[in-house]
Amino acid sequence: MENMENMQPISLHLADRPRRSGWVEYINKTGFVPRPEEVLFTTLPRNIYAAEGYDGDIPCVTEDGRLDWFASHPLAYPEEYQPSIKSRSYDVSFLSANVPGPTYLELPMQAEIEAALASRQFKVLAISAYTWMIPWALKLAESARQEYGIQEVWLGGYGVMTPEPRIREVFDRLYWGYGETTFREALGMSPIKPAEIEHPMLINESTYLAHKIKIGHLFWERGCTQRCTFCADPVFQPGGEPTFSVANVRKVLERYKAEGVMSVHLVNQDVRPFTVVGKQIIELLHEFGLPFTMMTSFQALTAKGLDGIKWLADRGLTMAQLGVESLDDANLTWAHKTTNCTHIRDTVRQMDDLRIRLSATYIIGFENDTPESIRRAKQRLGDLGPIYTYFMILLPMPGTPQYYDMLKRNLIKDWDFRKWTGGYLVWRHPVIQPDEARALLREMDLAINTPQYNKRLQREWTRINRMRERLLQRERQGESADMRARARVYYHPDSYAKLLTDRFGVKPGATLPSCDASRETPPTPMASKDSRRL
């Protein structure tokens, strides 16, 4: 990757962007309108970067062609107990349901993309990519034009925000935000409003504690209205997107129920359950007898206080996936997170009382972090007892306030975008080195997501085993069990396996941190402004 230290930043300021709608940045204003069947749309291939021998971490892509955010996080317990949520690509799913005609390749092999191009039946290649895929996308776009006679190449997805100058030399159009309308218009079709969007079937496979269940993923709005300084969502489509129609959501839930879905995962970037539409969706889930989990923020979850959380539990909420991100109030304030450590701790206690489980995301390597502070926070995070935590190293997401701040201070030093996955330290941290950051990331994964260390996780899994045994005994006796009970124990009718916690050992080459080791360094004295820190 060429040196980019003197690169002129591309203006992505929110004031320059249309709000609450996708838009197109025309690099070459050709006015070309292809027929739908002349367009080939592809995501990344499953074997991305394999031909060049790149051996770095490739996140979330499985060998059988699905996305799985657990794929790059092998943990210290037997393979059959590895958590997994295999899902379809959201962009292909929504576009193929709402923009008929193009050929869509969803997580293909590289050879499949090349074979489609070699057919020479397409005039446009459209690529959806994240920043870490941009080197591959640029190479594919160039070869498509030079070797296969492609007339135009278009780029969409979060990768459009990548500060790589060659993007605007190679691509003809950049598609910002959610693209059903802009893609339809590019193909000569009429635009479509969010309320008219057809929600695709997103039935996925979830594995937890050696049990597989069908889960349905559900959106009713996309985008995020919050302004966390490290997050790309507010830049990709400022203000989020208007809601889908409740009638269309009902149709999706009817199909999920008919297909035997056991639980629904609400995957809005920030589920706001107490808005007018949010309440309607929650009531629909309750009407269909479908327990649910959701991605949300502490602010949205607690908007109606404890009574609101009780209402959600009564309607079937079994797990909330929350952005903890840090257990240092200074970091949370700097990142413009709408929570603090006391709020996090109190909310999780209320969730525990209502048997709502916590799954978390967590960032290490804030500028204020040290190896010692990260290890102290490890113990406090373990005490919160998340059933799973997804860790990443602080990444200057292109287009975010954090990115521009680091660029201005000349802190970004690794411009190999293949490493911009959250698994590498690509900027100059004041006290943490890149290899040390990787080791700390692994240490956190092996500790917090392992029952020997996370004692509350161990108790949770033991409880689930007891519930599963009682449930199976009832069903052997001919008694019925409701969907909520089945979802709580991650029930699968063909599985009678037990979770044996004494089987959990460290894989060869992995080092499990000692629980006592994290207590060796006492907490530093806290200033008054940090008095709410855990």
Side-chain angles (χ1 to χ4, degrees), residues 27 42 47 88 150 163 193 201 234 242 280 296 303 314 326 346 363-365 406 445 508 527:
I27 309 301
T42 187
N47 55 339
R88 293 191 59 196
I150 289 292
K193 298 178 181 178
M201 289 285 281
Q280 291 176 305
T296 188
D314 181 62
S326 178
D346 292 347
I363 299 172
I364 68 169
M406 289 187 176
D445 242 349

Side-chain angles (χ1 to χ4, degrees), residues 4-289:
M4 300 177 65
E5 289 185 0
N6 298 319
M7 178 195 67
Q8 294 297 314
I10 299 163
S11 176
L12 305 177
H13 194 278
L14 296 186
D16 301 329
R17 299 284 315 286
R19 291 182 61 80
R20 309 209 76 189
S21 65
W23 66 291
V24 183
E25 182 182 349
Y26 292 93
I27 309 301
N28 298 312
K29 297 182 179 180
T30 62
F32 178 54
V33 180
R35 298 194 308 272
E37 61 270 19
E38 294 176 326
V39 177
L40 174 65
F41 182 101
T42 187
T43 65
L44 79 158
R46 301 198 293 277
N47 55 339
I48 186 172
Y49 299 134
E52 57 194 73
Y54 178 64
D55 60 357
D57 284 351
I58 300 297
C60 71
V61 185
T62 65
E63 293 181 356
D64 55 353
R66 283 293 180 262
L67 297 175
D68 186 350
W69 290 106
F70 301 104
S72 64
H73 289 258
L75 304 176
Y77 42 86
E79 187 67 29
E80 63 268 30
Y81 292 109
Q82 290 283 338
S84 171
I85 299 179
K86 293 183 178 181
S87 65
R88 293 191 59 196
S89 168
Y90 293 149
D91 48 4
V92 168
S93 300
F94 272 92
L95 287 174
S96 60
N98 293 279
V99 189
T103 295
Y104 294 97
L105 300 181
E106 181 178 3
L107 300 171
M109 299 297 287
Q110 180 69 25
E112 295 176 64
I113 302 174
E114 294 170 357
L117 290 170
S119 71
R120 296 188 177 271
Q121 67 185 78
F122 304 106
K123 294 183 178 179
V124 172
L125 172 64
I127 301 173
S128 177
Y130 289 98
T131 287
W132 66 270
M133 307 172 193
I134 287 300
W136 159 80
L138 286 167
K139 185 176 180 180
L140 177 64
E142 289 175 330
S143 66
R145 202 188 298 270
Q146 296 168 5
E147 300 176 28
Y148 301 107
I150 289 292
Q151 185 172 333
E152 290 197 6
V153 283
W154 302 346
L155 178 67
Y158 287 74
V160 298
M161 299 186 289
T162 306
E164 165 59 77
R166 292 181 58 231
I167 288 177
R168 285 163 176 78
E169 298 170 0
V170 172
F171 290 95
D172 298 282
R173 305 180 193 180
L174 305 181
Y175 285 79
W176 293 72
Y178 302 104
E180 289 82 15
T181 282
T182 51
F183 199 36
R184 286 175 63 92
E185 291 176 326
L187 306 183
M189 303 179 187
S190 60
I192 185 173
K193 298 178 181 178
E196 300 169 330
I197 287 176
E198 186 76 19
H199 193 296
M201 289 285 281
L202 297 173
I203 296 179
N204 304 310
E205 176 187 283
S206 175
T207 303
Y208 191 62
L209 307 185
H211 294 264
K212 290 181 172 63
I213 64 170
K214 277 186 180 181
I215 62 172
H217 284 196
L218 179 71
F219 290 89
W220 75 79
E221 63 181 347
R222 296 174 295 184
C224 186
T225 59
Q226 300 207 37
R227 294 294 181 89
C228 301
T229 58
F230 56 78
C231 184
D233 286 329
V235 186
F236 185 61
Q237 181 150 324
E241 183 182 53
T243 60
F244 298 166
S245 77
V246 176
N248 280 348
V249 172
R250 173 181 282 275
K251 287 194 297 184
V252 174
L253 293 180
E254 287 174 347
R255 295 179 67 186
Y256 282 176
K257 185 77 172 183
E259 292 289 335
V261 163
M262 304 290 290
S263 180
V264 173
H265 185 39
L266 307 180
V267 287
N268 306 3
Q269 281 91 334
D270 183 17
V271 172
R272 295 179 291 169
F274 303 114
T275 62
V276 172
V277 175
K279 288 181 179 179
Q280 291 176 305
I281 303 301
I282 302 302
E283 291 292 1
L284 273 181
L285 290 163
H286 187 60
E287 175 186 330
F288 282 99

Side-chain angles (χ1 to χ4, degrees), residues 262-425:
M262 304 290 290
S263 180
V264 173
H265 185 39
L266 307 180
V267 287
N268 306 3
Q269 281 91 334
D270 183 17
V271 172
R272 295 179 291 169
F274 303 114
T275 62
V276 172
V277 175
K279 288 181 179 179
Q280 291 176 305
I281 303 301
I282 302 302
E283 291 292 1
L284 273 181
L285 290 163
H286 187 60
E287 175 186 330
F288 282 99
L290 287 169
F292 65 97
T293 60
M294 65 183 188
M295 296 174 59
T296 188
S297 63
F298 283 95
Q299 182 187 46
L301 180 62
T302 61
K304 298 297 181 181
L306 179 57
D307 288 343
I309 302 176
K310 287 180 177 178
W311 176 77
L312 290 169
D314 181 62
R315 290 299 182 269
L317 177 63
T318 61
M319 185 273 286
Q321 183 177 343
L322 291 157
V324 175
E325 315 307 5
S326 178
L327 290 175
D328 184 325
D329 278 336
N331 290 339
L332 296 174
T333 299
W334 176 86
H336 291 185
K337 291 290 291 182
T338 53
T339 188
N340 57 57
C341 290
T342 297
H343 184 218
I344 291 171
R345 179 191 60 207
D346 292 347
T347 302
V348 173
R349 285 176 178 171
Q350 292 172 347
M351 291 167 59
D352 283 346
D353 291 342
L354 296 168
R355 296 172 65 197
I356 300 171
R357 299 307 170 220
L358 166 69
S359 177
T361 57
Y362 196 90
I363 299 172
I364 68 169
F366 282 96
E367 206 162 349
N368 192 46
D369 281 346
T370 65
E372 294 76 19
S373 71
I374 291 171
R375 291 189 173 101
R376 288 195 297 270
K378 177 177 66 179
Q379 181 61 46
R380 296 196 295 272
L381 182 59
D383 290 342
L384 290 179
I387 61 171
Y388 187 83
T389 303
Y390 183 86
F391 292 99
M392 67 174 287
I393 299 169
L394 185 68
L395 176 69
M397 295 280 193
T400 62
Q402 174 189 267
Y403 167 80
Y404 285 115
D405 174 63
M406 289 187 176
L407 185 67
K408 181 179 180 180
R409 292 188 286 148
N410 197 29
L411 293 180
I412 303 172
K413 63 177 184 177
D414 191 339
W415 293 99
D416 182 350
F417 290 121
R418 296 175 302 179
K419 295 182 179 179
W420 287 44
T421 62
Y424 297 87
L425 183 64

Side-chain angles (χ1 to χ4, degrees), residues 508-526:
T511 302
L512 184 66
S514 166
C515 186
D516 293 333
S518 67
R519 295 189 173 97
E520 290 176 355
T521 305
T524 56
M526 301 177 187

Side-chain angles (χ1 to χ4, degrees), residues 72-77 82 364 391 393 436-450 506-513:
S72 64
H73 289 258
L75 304 176
Y77 42 86
Q82 290 283 338
I364 68 169
F391 292 99
I393 299 169
E436 188 177 21
R438 296 267 292 165
L440 285 166
L441 184 72
R442 180 65 170 162
E443 180 178 326
M444 295 290 278
D445 242 349
L446 290 175
I448 301 303
N449 293 318
T450 305
V506 180
K507 290 181 178 180
T511 302
L512 184 66

